[in-house]
Amino acid sequence: MGDHGEILDIKTADIKATAPRFHHESVALAHALTKLKHGLAAAGSPWGDDEQGEKFHKAYGPHVGQIENAAQILADGLASIHKAMVDMADGHIDNEQLIRGMFSRIRVGHDSKGDSK
């Protein structure tokens, strides 16, 4: 048992306190991604049509969608971590109450000398 009568030493308060950080960072990343997409769209092709500009665009252009997709996956992943942590904390509370209830029904017998049977 933990310090405060916990059967499992998982601090649900810590989980619940940390979970919103993942939500906050998910929202921040989604806003940054939107700003990046709008900024790139507004810029057009600032690298120009010269030879260096064309080389840059050949290397950069095909990867724009992949970069945006990867950033979206990260934002979605952070959001899912937030949800999973909240669900885990709630599930842990329910599970701990179930375990506590099961063990509270078990009584250890003692003999006349006070020794456990």
Side-chain angles (χ1 to χ4, degrees), residues 2-116:
D3 294 337
H4 304 289
E6 297 125 353
I7 294 171
L8 301 175
D9 193 21
I10 297 174
K11 307 287 190 262
T12 55
D14 292 344
I15 295 171
K16 286 188 174 200
T18 303
R21 293 180 191 167
F22 287 94
H23 173 71
H24 173 75
E25 296 305 328
S26 171
V27 170
L29 184 55
H31 285 296
L33 178 59
T34 299
K35 189 174 181 177
L36 175 65
K37 286 180 180 181
H38 286 110
L40 291 174
S45 301
W47 42 83
D49 293 331
D50 62 359
E51 182 181 346
Q52 290 290 39
E54 288 178 17
K55 285 181 182 179
F56 175 81
H57 182 66
K58 281 183 183 179
Y60 168 75
H63 300 289
V64 172
Q66 292 172 329
I67 294 167
E68 291 174 351
N69 188 40
Q72 186 63 54
I73 289 169
L74 288 171
D76 293 345
L78 289 171
S80 70
I81 290 171
H82 168 253
K83 182 176 178 353
M85 288 181 78
V86 170
D87 290 348
M88 181 175 62
D90 292 343
H92 175 68
I93 291 169
D94 294 343
N95 189 48
E96 188 163 300
Q97 290 171 348
L98 175 67
I99 292 170
R100 197 180 302 275
M102 289 179 352
F103 284 103
S104 68
R105 291 188 294 258
I106 297 173
R107 301 287 181 234
V108 177
H110 294 280
D111 61 17
S112 60
K113 296 179 187 175
D115 296 328
S116 296

